Amino acid sequence: MAVKLKNVIEAVAREKNVPEDIIEKALIDGIRAAVQKEYGYRDNVRVVFDKENDELKVYLRKRVSPFIENPKRDITLEEAKKYNPDAEVGKYVEVPLSLEDLGRIALNAAKEVITHKVAKVEKNILYREFKELEGKVVTGTVRRFENGDIIVDLGRLEAVLPEEEQIKKEKYKIGDRIRALILRVIRDGSYTIYEKGKVKRIINPVDRDKPLVILSRTHPNFLRKLLEIEVPEIQEGEIEIKAIAREPGERAKVAVYSKDKNIDPVGVVVGLKGSRIQNVTNELSGEKIDVIQWDPDPAKFIMRALSPAKPKKWRLLEDEKRIEVAVPKNELSLAIGKGGINAKLAHKLTGWHIDILSEEDFEKLQQLPRSKK
């Protein structure tokens, strides 16, 4: 009996966003598996999808025999000639099989094979699609919360925004729209979070049949991508972001540079009356962003990185990649920042260890003998 499949194939392909030929092959493999399970055949099964007539046809290869030992494998010469007039004893003929002859167990086997193959193809397609988005910003909808993590619906799949990648002071509710950076896309397996070099916890896939997508709102590259979106000159290459340091949700420092001496990179990024940088700050729940001009001279770069403090003197110790900085006593707290945040960000931004001293302590330190290495 012919089985009409065209509409089914089209519907499944559309639902799974998988090419129709993949669905066709999965169906053929599934039916072949079902026949093999029911009849014990391995290589003696041929399944054909006749597109022109919209029919799935199944053939069993049976041996022509004078004695029928196994009706599932043997056929009499008389019966064989119905299918092939040239049939002979000892030879083989192909016998059409009705799918109604398959048992429930066999049909379940077919369903399992089809489901597995389609899911595997769909997973590979999704993986390639989202792997291309790795490192980019996406927008999704908050679906639910699991052990502190936020499950975000991205349309084709659900991604995970781990607790460790969330801005701590942010609160969301189901249905909220949320933007984040695609941090990692994993086709198979889990995502491991480390703390001080040790495994803290493991995040398993939301759906085993789909890749695991990990999001972040705390990564420096999230801020980088937001700036690229907000400032066309960065996308066009007129301005380059040299470095970023963040304390997510609190404060950040961004070093920018332009080869064109006629362009003020800081002014362009900040925007008229701070409009551009304010849009980014709003997205990051009020994270204050200091935009500074990068300089190839490490001392000048470090001095700018300590903004809003204005160091008066410094001593660069290049071998140690360390700098001693003198600021007026009334600017010490400004240079260090609340909880040390300004000094910490300046260190992360420049990569240099920064000793912040009052002018008086700086002068005393310079008078001390230095050990030679």
Side-chain angles (χ1 to χ4, degrees):
M1 179 183 290
V3 178
K4 300 293 183 179
L5 292 171
K6 184 178 179 180
N7 293 341
V8 175
I9 290 172
E10 289 178 351
V12 175
R14 190 165 50 249
E15 178 189 347
K16 300 294 185 180
N17 197 31
V18 172
E20 288 185 20
D21 61 328
I22 297 295
I23 305 299
E24 291 173 15
K25 187 177 185 307
L27 284 167
I28 289 170
D29 290 345
I31 295 301
R32 183 182 293 112
V35 175
Q36 289 171 349
K37 189 173 189 67
E38 182 72 11
Y39 288 83
Y41 284 89
R42 288 192 176 275
D43 302 323
N44 292 359
V45 181
R46 188 164 67 94
V47 183
V48 179
F49 178 51
D50 182 349
K51 292 185 180 180
E52 186 175 343
N53 295 311
D54 194 19
E55 294 178 355
L56 187 69
K57 299 176 180 179
V58 182
Y59 299 93
L60 296 181
R61 189 166 175 262
K62 291 189 175 186
R63 185 170 63 89
V64 182
S65 173
F67 306 104
I68 307 301
E69 296 179 5
N70 185 344
K72 292 183 178 181
R73 292 175 177 271
D74 302 331
I75 188 172
T76 64
L77 180 60
E78 182 181 357
E79 282 293 315
K81 285 186 176 291
K82 294 178 182 179
Y83 308 109
N84 183 355
D86 299 325
E88 297 178 17
V89 173
K91 302 293 184 179
Y92 288 84
V93 294
E94 284 191 332
V95 179
L97 174 71
S98 169
L99 294 185
E100 291 181 346
D101 294 336
L102 294 178
R104 180 179 56 83
I105 294 176
L107 288 174
N108 283 338
K111 183 179 178 181
E112 288 179 10
V113 170
I114 294 166
T115 301
H116 174 72
K117 287 183 176 291
V118 171
K120 186 176 180 180
V121 172
E122 183 187 20
K123 186 175 187 177
N124 288 336
I125 290 173
L126 284 172
Y127 174 75
R128 289 194 297 269
E129 178 182 323
F130 280 89
K131 192 68 177 177
E132 289 180 1
L133 295 175
E134 200 172 69
K136 296 181 180 179
V137 173
V138 292
T139 302
T141 305
V142 175
R143 276 291 166 254
R144 61 186 180 279
F145 305 93
E146 294 182 0
N147 301 318
D149 300 335
I150 301 175
I151 308 302
V152 181
D153 185 352
L154 296 182
R156 300 288 308 285
L157 53 68
E158 290 183 330
V160 181
L161 178 60
E163 186 176 15
E164 293 82 357
E165 300 294 336
Q166 299 169 29
I167 296 175
K168 288 183 173 56
K169 65 182 180 180
E170 291 183 335
K171 302 296 178 185
Y172 293 94
K173 59 182 183 295
I174 293 173
D176 282 350
R177 300 288 284 171
I178 186 170
R179 295 171 88 186
L181 180 83
I182 292 187
L183 184 63
R184 284 285 306 279
V185 180
I186 303 167
R187 175 164 34 201
D188 300 297
S190 305
Y191 180 72
T192 304
I193 294 178
Y194 295 90
E195 187 173 73
K196 297 179 180 179
K198 296 182 179 180
V199 175
K200 180 182 179 183
R201 67 190 184 99
I202 295 173
I203 297 176
N204 293 313
V206 179
D207 184 340
R208 293 283 179 181
D209 290 330
K210 294 181 180 179
L212 172 61
V213 176
I214 300 295
L215 305 176
S216 175
R217 282 182 58 82
T218 63
H219 198 280
N221 282 342
F222 182 46
L223 173 53
R224 181 186 296 274
K225 291 300 178 182
L226 291 176
L227 287 168
E228 288 178 3
I229 293 168
E230 192 65 37
V231 184
E233 291 84 354
I234 295 175
Q235 290 190 46
E236 294 163 5
E238 296 178 11
I239 294 174
E240 180 183 353
I241 297 176
K242 286 287 190 178
I244 293 177
R246 290 184 70 191
E247 286 295 313
E250 299 299 327
R251 194 169 173 185
K253 289 182 181 287
V254 181
V256 295
Y257 173 76
S258 176
K259 292 180 180 179
D260 189 339
K261 301 299 181 183
N262 296 316
I263 294 178
D264 171 15
V266 174
V268 171
V269 173
V270 171
L272 185 64
K273 296 182 180 180
S275 58
R276 286 177 166 178
I277 207 67
Q278 187 59 48
N279 289 338
V280 178
T281 291
N282 292 342
E283 172 63 39
L284 299 176
S285 298
E287 186 171 315
K288 182 183 177 183
I289 303 170
D290 298 331
V291 183
I292 65 170
Q293 186 165 341
W294 178 85
D295 197 292
D297 182 328
K300 289 182 180 179
F301 182 33
I302 294 165
M303 296 308 104
R304 291 171 181 169
L306 285 170
S307 174
K310 296 178 180 178
K312 300 299 182 183
K313 299 177 183 178
W314 60 83
R315 182 171 186 267
L316 207 64
L317 304 169
E318 293 194 50
D319 291 344
E320 302 175 31
K321 204 168 185 181
R322 183 166 66 87
I323 189 171
E324 295 166 351
V325 175
V327 297
K329 186 172 288 186
N330 63 349
E331 286 191 15
L332 264 177
S333 60
L334 193 64
I336 295 170
K338 186 177 180 180
I341 191 170
N342 196 55
K344 186 190 299 184
L345 287 173
H347 163 66
K348 288 167 69 175
L349 189 74
T350 63
W352 284 68
H353 182 79
I354 305 171
D355 292 331
I356 300 173
L357 307 163
S358 67
E359 291 176 299
E360 182 180 10
D361 289 341
F362 178 84
E363 293 300 334
K364 289 179 181 178
L365 185 61
Q366 305 316 306
Q367 295 170 12
L368 295 174
R370 301 277 180 167
S371 59
K372 295 181 180 181
K373 293 187 178 181

